[in-house]
Amino acid sequence: MAIDKDAKEEQYSELNPGFCNACGGKLFFDKVSLDHYEDEKLYVIEDVPAFICEDCGEIWIPKPVIEELEKMIAVYIEKEMSGKPPKEQLNG
Ligand SMILES: [Zn+2]
C-alpha cells in the first residue's frame, strides 16, 4: 500500500536510469520531500524514494513511486472530503 519506509536502494536500483536527463550527471538514491498542490491545498509527502543528480540536483522519481503517491493523495483527499481528516501523516 503505502511506500515502504525502509525502502532500500536495491529495491529501486533497477529503476535507476543511471544518468541525469538534464546534464548527464550520475544519479544517486535518496529520499526527498515533495510538495503537491491539490485544490489550492498543499500536501507535503515525505520520504519519497527518488534518484538525484549529483551534478545539477535534478530529482527523478520512478514511475511506480509516482503512481503510488497519486493513490495516496487520492485516498487522503477522499477522507478529508468525507469530513474525517486522517490523523496520521500522509506518509504513514
Ligand atoms: Zn543533472
Side-chain angles (χ1 to χ4, degrees):
M1 239 185 90
I3 289 164
D4 189 351
K5 277 187 181 171
D6 297 322
K8 293 191 178 97
E9 185 168 1
E10 305 95 73
Q11 238 178 302
Y12 292 94
S13 59
E14 63 185 41
L15 298 169
N16 189 342
F19 296 96
C20 174
N21 263 341
C23 75
K26 207 178 164 195
L27 298 176
F28 64 92
F29 181 81
D30 204 354
K31 294 196 189 158
V32 298
S33 292
L34 290 181
D35 296 345
H36 177 85
Y37 284 96
E38 187 93 30
D39 291 335
E40 295 179 0
K41 276 188 181 175
L42 173 64
Y43 299 86
V44 180
I45 307 151
E46 293 175 325
D47 289 335
V48 179
F51 298 102
I52 300 163
C53 174
E54 63 181 18
D55 287 339
C56 73
E58 182 84 13
I59 295 171
W60 191 86
I61 299 164
K63 197 163 174 262
V65 175
I66 291 174
E67 285 169 355
E68 195 64 49
L69 291 177
E70 283 173 349
K71 270 188 242 165
M72 280 168 63
I73 290 163
V75 168
Y76 187 87
I77 289 168
E78 208 172 276
K79 281 187 190 169
E80 210 172 51
M81 299 267 273
S82 72
K84 286 180 187 173
K87 291 217 163 66
E88 70 268 16
Q89 292 222 329
L90 191 53
N91 69 344

